[in-house]
Amino acid sequence: MDNKKRVHMICNAHIDPIWQWDWPEGVSATLSTFYSAVKLCDEFDYIFCHNEVTVYKYVEEYAPALFAKIQELVKAGKWHIMGGWYLQPDCNMISGESAVRQIREGQRYFKEKFGVCPTTAINLDPFGHSVGLVQIIKKCGQDSYLFARPFSHEMILPSDQFIWRGLDGSEIKATRLNGGYGSSLGKSARAIRDKGKLQNFPVCAALWGVGNHGGGPSRRDLRDISEQLLTGDNVEYVHSTPEKFFSEINPTDVVDTSLHISMPGCYTSMYRVKKLHAQLENEISLAEKISSAAYLTGALSEYPEKEIQDAVEDLLNAEFHDILPGSSVQCGEDAGIRFLNHGILEAERAKIKAYFALSSAEPAAAEGEYPIVIFNPHPYELCENVECEFMLADQNWNQSIHSHITLKDSKGNTVKYQVVKEDSNLNLDWRKRIVFKADMKPMSLTRYSVFVDFTEAKDAEKYDSFVFDNGEKHVEIDSKTGLLSSYRINGKEYIGKGFGLCSFDDNADPWGMSSEQLKRIGTNEKAFSSMTTPDGVFKGMKTVQVIEDGDIYLGIEAFFECDNTKARILYKIYKNNPNVDIDITLYMGDIDRIVKLKLPLEAEGTLIGQVPFGTEPLFMDGRENVAGRFVAVDTDNGCVALLNNGVYGNHYESGSLYTSLARGVTYCAHPIGERQLIPDDRFTAKIDQGESRYSFRLTVAKREELERRALEFVQKPYALNIFPVPTESRKTKALEISVGGDHISVNTVKKAYGSDAVIFRLLNNSPESEESYLEVNGERLFLIFGKYEVKTVSYQNGILEESYELIV
């Protein structure tokens, strides 16, 4: 029996489309690398492996003859499409639906262009990997995962070859590469031999080829491998692919957590990209939901597939693991922002088109009516506060009278509202903004009506209350410091002493590569202080001031500073629900510092956070966590949660949650031995200086409700004052939809690619099995969910049907 060690030599060339260079240089690296690899395929008996739709699209567009040759090599088995994803994205911060898109969009492209569908997922460079990916990978038809980070000094694994188990119990094979994914030019044979020695397995993988800016194999490397390795007797070296490697291993060790942590500075660096990323994820989802509603009712004869697809591709490109994590040079940040802003515009266009198509079924405005038409993007009835601005029919220049608003629902009932400051600063009775609690039908339009008359003008009200208490909810802002000092629901206090912004000493490295940063990001905590006499951008303000008070919420703003950084905190204390919104405007003016929001908690329990299609326990020992749209402390009596609209990093220690806001670090600078980190003979640009804005919601909820509450926070009802233009020739039908139980969220509703079906992605955000149902237009499908299970249901020709794959 042959007991020789078997080393699978996997030739590749790691090409970052954007990193220390902008994308045109990434194109150049791709074309030269692929051209060289093709020529060597004609000379040598080896297999070149490469992944990522993005770079193949470069070749298809800019070198079509080369692309055709690669297609021939793939058919011949000399060129292997590995990975099969759109690109290697960040694997911590993307949502579950984004992960589905990365895989499915990649699979669709490679199937169409090359007739292949890789079964091994490849993510070599991302800075950690969420356990939420396992279920997604499995349900997208892949069975194995190859990665490089976290390194062994960052995370100890029972074995580098293991079974990775997801939150729902799904399992795939996984391997952490020991020795990296590339080799130096002309030294590949030695590198392969060394990597084989490092791995104490009878079968192992050694990735080789010049990478990080392309290159791949060289003629000398292939000759050396042929002469030095393929002729040896002690170890069997074979040219191979990831799929062949995984087919020969049968790991038994099990890992059932996220693969964290690795370079945790990336969970916060380059906040503007991160916020736009979260915004685009939600804007695409909103566009898909309202377009699906318009498509199902017949208001839209054609689903806006191209607009949404363009936005999706912008999103996928911006999720690249050196853009979203903030580890690129400044032109890389610029490229990411361009991708994201363009995607937001395309998604918004699709959303507005569907919105006006739906509104064409609304009757024209009555005499004197200002219609407010609201789309609820959630597939259940929603009772939530809604804000909307509108213009008076004419400018009121008469200062002796002032507009008076009456708000009515669709049945003619008078509704409470609150007039708040509009965005415009024209000191004229003309532009208005109101907030009110609306009862909204599922995934449909709901109409409210404003009527305006004029009454005798009165002096503006003066507000002075810093406490709200209605017997069930007690919230208090310290009138001297401007800090939240009490948040009590049904007699239970959730906030301890010490709330506020704080700054820590940090360093210039956006990755956070030091061993100290693996244990904790930042040292020497320093609290922001109240601005006794606000100056600069806040000149003329009081330290703390009440700016709104009415039937819906109490609004209080306060101003703070720490060294060269200033901040405003706006609290919206709602009077009709448990929520307190905390909006922060930060003017970062310090470098080598990290700013965090400190939330001391009276509640004791387990810290949990959102991951792709699930919820996972987080570190509570000062190490930096990465989570999605919510972080919460789970107690026996429910969760106290902080929802957000675009931050990811946080840590917890001594009973306080610290949410990471901004790092004043340097573009693309990380330690290289003992060498100087950044030049000191010239100015070097810093990340995230100037203004950044953040939105949080403090709330209490059951654990299984957190996914819904977070969706409601980031995908708010879309309200607009419009005067409908009815289209009598267009026949539309009502959309009736419902889903059973607060524990089930519907994260996605969209038309399936290449089909007339509309798909629904449902998630059980609970560690227990749950029963639920989805009902559309009288057709009800009962569903049984396992823990944290995500299901896809298609609706076509009036029939609901469960799919056991994740359909894009």
Side-chain angles (χ1 to χ4, degrees):
M1 184 175 179
D2 189 358
N3 293 318
K4 286 199 300 185
K5 186 173 189 174
R6 186 170 167 87
V7 178
H8 288 258
M9 300 183 295
I10 300 173
C11 179
N12 76 114
H14 186 79
I15 301 174
D16 293 325
I18 293 173
W19 181 33
Q20 297 178 68
W21 46 84
D22 206 348
W23 71 269
E25 191 174 334
V27 174
S28 175
T30 299
L31 297 181
S32 62
T33 299
F34 280 23
Y35 177 70
S36 173
V38 163
K39 288 180 65 180
L40 292 172
C41 280
D42 291 335
E43 295 182 41
F44 294 90
D45 184 18
Y46 84 108
I47 305 169
F48 183 69
C49 303
H50 203 87
N51 55 335
E52 302 183 326
V53 169
T54 294
V55 295
Y56 281 91
K57 281 191 170 186
Y58 291 161
V59 182
E60 184 180 16
E61 182 173 359
Y62 301 118
L66 179 61
F67 189 79
K69 178 62 175 176
I70 293 170
Q71 289 176 313
E72 293 175 5
L73 290 171
V74 170
K75 288 180 181 179
K78 297 273 291 176
W79 188 295
H80 182 73
I81 306 295
M82 72 175 185
W85 291 26
Y86 195 87
L87 46 69
Q88 290 187 51
D90 172 83
C91 292
N92 298 303
M93 294 176 281
I94 63 174
S95 68
E97 192 59 36
S98 281
V100 174
R101 297 185 204 272
Q102 285 285 353
I103 302 174
R104 285 306 197 195
E105 294 292 343
Q107 289 176 331
R108 190 169 81 232
Y109 178 85
F110 287 124
K111 186 70 173 176
E112 176 186 336
K113 302 296 182 179
F114 299 95
V116 299
C117 194
T119 57
T120 296
I122 307 286
N123 280 310
L124 304 175
D125 236 12
F127 313 114
H129 311 262
S130 170
V131 71
L133 293 175
V134 179
Q135 177 180 192
I136 297 168
I137 292 169
K138 186 79 170 182
K139 289 187 174 179
C140 285
Q142 296 190 299
D143 58 17
S144 44
Y145 196 68
L146 191 62
F147 69 99
R149 296 173 174 145
F151 300 129
S152 56
H153 73 275
E154 294 174 310
M155 181 183 188
I156 297 174
L157 293 170
S159 172
D160 285 339
Q161 296 181 5
F162 58 93
I163 297 295
W164 197 15
R165 182 177 295 157
L167 295 171
D168 70 321
S170 296
E171 293 183 348
I172 58 176
K173 297 178 185 179
T175 292
R176 174 169 63 184
L177 291 173
N178 200 335
Y181 50 73
S183 55
S184 299
L185 183 65
K187 300 178 180 179
S188 295
R190 182 192 306 171
I192 292 167
R193 187 183 294 113
D194 291 344
K195 291 177 183 184
K197 290 179 180 178
L198 278 173
Q199 302 177 71
N200 189 27
F201 302 104
V203 178
C204 63
L207 270 68
W208 69 278
V210 178
N212 265 11
H213 200 33
S218 71
R219 187 172 284 103
R220 175 182 171 181
D221 287 322
L222 287 165
R223 285 173 179 164
D224 288 348
I225 290 169
S226 178
E227 294 171 1
Q228 300 175 27
L229 300 181
L230 297 182
T231 58
D233 295 327
N234 297 326
V235 179
E236 182 182 10
Y237 295 94
V238 293
H239 289 297
S240 191
T241 68
E243 280 78 4
K244 290 179 181 178
F245 160 67
F246 275 105
S247 72
E248 295 184 12
I249 67 169
N250 293 290
T252 56
D253 291 295
V254 176
V255 175
D256 60 2
T257 64
S258 292
L259 306 177
H260 288 155
I261 58 179
S262 179
M263 306 181 192
C266 291
Y267 308 156
T268 300
S269 299
M270 216 172 278
Y271 167 70
R272 293 181 182 91
V273 169
K274 290 174 169 60
K275 182 177 180 179
L276 284 172
H277 168 257
Q279 184 180 345
L280 180 52
E281 282 190 323
N282 288 307
E283 197 66 35
I284 290 172
S285 182
L286 282 167
E288 289 174 330
K289 288 176 178 178
I290 192 169
S291 297
S292 297
Y295 182 69
L296 288 171
T297 59
L300 273 181
S301 58
E302 291 187 10
Y303 186 86
E305 201 144 15
K306 183 184 184 305
E307 294 94 329
I308 292 175
Q309 183 64 21
D310 287 348
V312 166
E313 292 190 12
D314 285 331
L315 175 71
L316 300 183
N317 278 306
E319 289 177 338
F320 180 65
H321 63 258
D322 281 314
I323 297 179
L324 181 55
S327 49
S328 72
V329 290
Q330 192 166 10
C331 66
E333 178 187 38
D334 294 340
I337 290 172
R338 288 197 301 272
F339 277 130
L340 293 164
N341 278 328
H342 178 262
I344 289 168
L345 178 60
E346 289 298 316
E348 188 177 42
R349 283 173 170 160
K351 178 182 72 177
I352 298 304
K353 182 178 181 179
Y355 173 84
F356 279 103
L358 282 172
S359 71
S360 68
E362 290 286 316
E367 185 69 27
E369 179 194 10
Y370 296 77
I372 295 178
V373 182
I374 311 165
F375 177 74
N376 169 19
H378 306 289
Y380 48 84
E381 292 183 354
L382 184 65
C383 184
E384 183 58 275
N385 294 321
V386 172
E387 291 192 11
C388 185
E389 289 202 4
F390 60 93
M391 301 289 286
L392 298 184
D394 198 4
Q395 305 162 17
N396 173 29
W397 290 85
N398 187 344
Q399 296 187 62
S400 64
I401 60 172
H402 199 270
S403 57
H404 173 264
I405 293 169
T406 301
L407 178 65
K408 294 183 178 293
D409 64 18
S410 59
K411 296 179 180 178
N413 300 313
T414 301
V415 177
K416 289 183 178 180
Y417 67 90
Q418 181 175 339
V419 177
V420 296
K421 173 70 173 64
E422 67 278 8
D423 284 343
S424 173
N425 292 305
L426 297 183
N427 191 5
L428 183 64
D429 186 19
W430 187 19
R431 185 73 174 166
K432 299 295 174 184
R433 186 185 192 100
I434 62 171
V435 55
F436 60 97
K437 193 169 189 176
D439 292 308
M440 293 163 281
K441 296 175 288 187
M443 284 192 68
S444 301
L445 297 182
T446 300
R447 182 165 173 164
Y448 282 76
S449 301
V450 168
F451 297 91
V452 179
D453 56 15
F454 292 88
T455 61
E456 182 180 349
K458 298 179 181 179
D459 292 336
E461 292 184 59
K462 300 294 184 182
Y463 311 119
D464 59 4
S465 176
F466 294 89
V467 178
F468 172 74
D469 193 324
N470 64 359
E472 295 179 357
K473 174 180 178 180
H474 177 92
V475 181
E476 187 168 345
I477 307 299
D478 189 292
S479 61
K480 294 181 179 179
T481 65
L483 297 174
L484 178 65
S485 58
S486 179
Y487 174 65
R488 192 162 64 238
I489 304 295
N490 295 324
K492 180 175 177 56
E493 180 62 64
Y494 288 97
I495 297 299
K497 294 181 179 180
F499 172 89
L501 294 167
C502 50
S503 179
F504 296 81
D505 291 338
D506 199 353
N507 65 17
D509 170 16
W511 284 272
M513 288 189 177
S514 72
S515 57
E516 291 80 10
Q517 288 169 309
L518 288 175
K519 300 174 185 176
R520 191 174 189 272
I521 294 280
T523 58
N524 301 323
E525 178 179 345
K526 183 177 182 179
F528 277 58
S529 58
S530 299
M531 297 182 72
T532 53
T533 306
D535 58 5
V537 70
F538 302 132
K539 184 177 181 180
M541 299 294 99
K542 298 177 181 178
T543 303
V544 191
Q545 52 196 26
V546 180
I547 60 172
E548 306 286 358
D549 196 1
D551 288 330
I552 309 301
Y553 73 82
L554 171 63
I556 300 171
E557 66 180 0
F559 304 94
F560 305 90
E561 62 185 349
C562 183
D563 298 326
N564 297 306
T565 299
K566 301 179 187 298
R568 168 193 182 247
I569 297 181
L570 168 64
Y571 307 93
K572 291 182 179 179
I573 303 167
Y574 292 100
K575 300 183 178 182
N576 51 17
N577 62 41
N579 304 332
V580 176
D581 285 356
I582 302 170
D583 295 343
I584 298 172
T585 304
L586 185 74
Y587 290 89
M588 187 75 170
D590 291 292
I591 64 171
D592 301 341
R593 305 290 288 274
I594 183 170
V595 175
K596 299 196 172 206
L597 174 65
K598 180 179 181 180
L599 182 66
L601 297 169
E602 290 292 325
E604 294 185 359
T606 302
L607 188 70
I608 58 176
Q610 185 194 52
V611 297
F613 293 147
T615 301
E616 183 183 28
L618 303 177
F619 301 127
M620 300 182 69
D621 58 2
R623 284 181 286 177
E624 195 77 358
N625 294 302
V626 57
R629 301 286 71 81
F630 64 79
V631 177
V633 172
D634 187 10
T635 73
D636 294 335
N637 298 316
C639 297
V640 53
L642 191 66
L643 316 180
N644 73 81
N645 75 343
V647 300
Y648 296 92
N650 65 81
H651 83 269
Y652 185 94
E653 63 179 336
S654 304
S656 292
L657 171 66
Y658 293 79
T659 300
S660 304
L661 303 183
R663 297 184 70 221
V665 294
T666 304
Y667 288 98
C668 200
H670 73 60
I672 299 177
E674 299 300 319
R675 300 178 187 182
Q676 184 171 322
L677 184 61
I678 56 175
D680 58 9
D681 61 346
R682 69 200 65 209
F683 170 74
T684 305
K686 310 299 178 183
I687 299 174
D688 287 341
Q689 298 297 293
E691 182 185 73
S692 297
R693 290 178 288 177
Y694 309 81
S695 294
F696 299 95
R697 174 165 290 174
L698 181 62
T699 192
V700 292
K702 296 177 181 178
R703 178 184 178 128
E704 59 269 21
E705 296 174 349
L706 289 174
E707 188 78 21
R708 275 199 179 188
R709 300 294 89 83
L711 277 172
E712 291 166 5
F713 179 59
V714 298
Q715 294 183 17
K716 292 181 171 65
Y718 184 71
L720 198 63
N721 164 225
I722 64 170
F723 295 87
V725 180
T727 306
E728 296 180 1
S729 61
R730 179 177 293 164
K731 294 183 179 180
T732 60
K733 50 194 173 185
L735 174 61
E736 297 180 358
I737 185 170
S738 62
V739 60
D742 286 346
H743 46 278
I744 303 298
S745 63
V746 180
N747 296 52
T748 303
V749 184
K750 63 183 180 182
K751 182 177 171 291
Y753 182 85
S755 167
D756 290 333
V758 171
I759 63 170
F760 297 81
R761 197 98 67 212
L762 300 93
L763 171 66
N764 172 26
N765 191 45
S766 167
E768 307 294 334
S769 297
E770 300 285 354
E771 295 183 3
S772 183
Y773 66 85
L774 175 66
E775 183 171 320
V776 181
N777 293 339
E779 173 78 4
R780 177 173 288 198
L781 179 66
F782 289 96
L783 299 165
I784 299 176
F785 290 81
K787 62 178 182 178
Y788 294 119
E789 184 178 8
V790 60
K791 288 182 178 288
T792 300
V793 174
S794 67
Y795 179 73
Q796 188 173 15
N797 298 324
I799 298 173
L800 287 169
E801 184 176 6
E802 182 178 348
S803 170
Y804 295 94
E805 294 183 347
L806 296 177
I807 302 170
V808 72

